[in-house]
């Protein structure tokens, strides 16, 4: 069974760092475009970072200088290193896998078909 399970969310103070993990089962992360997304209460879902099967990464302007997405192939795990956190980063964070292998790895959430249940990140000022 294919599954994604996030962990690592916590409450931190502004300026702090966190590393989120997303353990994958039932498929190999190396074969897929993978991504991190977040959603705050009352807000739309936002793409945080994506990483292609070949390792190329893509970030929106809001996270490009503070967040790093990576894959650990032997551990079959996706990571999100978050530095210099600000209160606006407070949200539920989700990892996701593109519906199919191959093709473009864009930041559009619609191309992702397997989602985890999320991990909460809270940043206080």
């Amino acid at each position: 069974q294919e599954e994604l399970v996030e962990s690592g969310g916590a409450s931190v103070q502004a300026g702090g760092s966190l590393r989120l993990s997303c353990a994958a089962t039932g498929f190999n992360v190396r074969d897929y475009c993978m991504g991190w997304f977040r959603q705050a209460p009352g807000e739309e879902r936002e793409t945080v970072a994506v990483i292609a099967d070949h390792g190329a990464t893509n970030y929106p302007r809001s996270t490009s200088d503070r967040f790093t997405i990576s894959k650990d192939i032997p551990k079959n795990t996706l990571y999100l290193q978050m530095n210099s956190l600000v209160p606006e980063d407070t949200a539920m964070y989700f990892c996701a896998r593109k519906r199919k292998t191959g093709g473009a790895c864009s930041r559009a959430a619609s191309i992702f078909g397997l989602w985890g249940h999320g991990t909460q990140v809270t940043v206080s000022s």
Side-chain angles (χ1 to χ4, degrees):
Q1 182 177 352
E2 297 176 334
E3 187 177 22
L4 296 170
V5 179
E6 303 95 334
S7 61
S11 295
V12 297
Q13 290 194 328
S17 298
L18 281 175
R19 188 177 78 159
L20 305 184
S21 300
C22 173
T25 55
F27 70 97
N28 294 315
V29 298
R30 67 168 183 263
D31 296 331
Y32 285 86
C33 165
M34 304 285 297
W36 284 98
F37 302 80
R38 66 187 180 188
Q39 188 166 20
E43 302 288 333
E44 292 187 356
R45 182 171 50 192
E46 177 187 14
T47 306
V48 172
V50 298
I51 182 167
D53 52 357
H54 48 74
T57 57
N58 191 338
Y59 304 87
R61 202 171 304 172
S62 59
T63 64
S64 61
D65 59 345
R66 300 181 298 123
F67 292 8
T68 303
I69 188 172
S70 63
K71 294 179 183 179
D72 187 321
I73 304 304
K75 293 184 178 180
N76 210 31
T77 298
L78 181 73
Y79 295 106
L80 183 69
Q81 178 66 42
M82 305 187 294
N83 299 326
S84 302
L85 286 162
V86 297
E88 291 74 21
D89 294 319
T90 294
M92 184 72 79
Y93 283 70
F94 302 88
C95 67
R97 189 204 76 185
K98 189 178 176 182
R99 297 177 192 279
K100 298 180 179 180
T101 58
C105 185
S106 75
R107 299 203 302 260
S110 59
I111 72 170
F112 293 85
L114 179 67
W115 293 80
H117 293 293
T119 186
Q120 177 68 37
V121 172
T122 303
V123 184
S124 58
S125 57

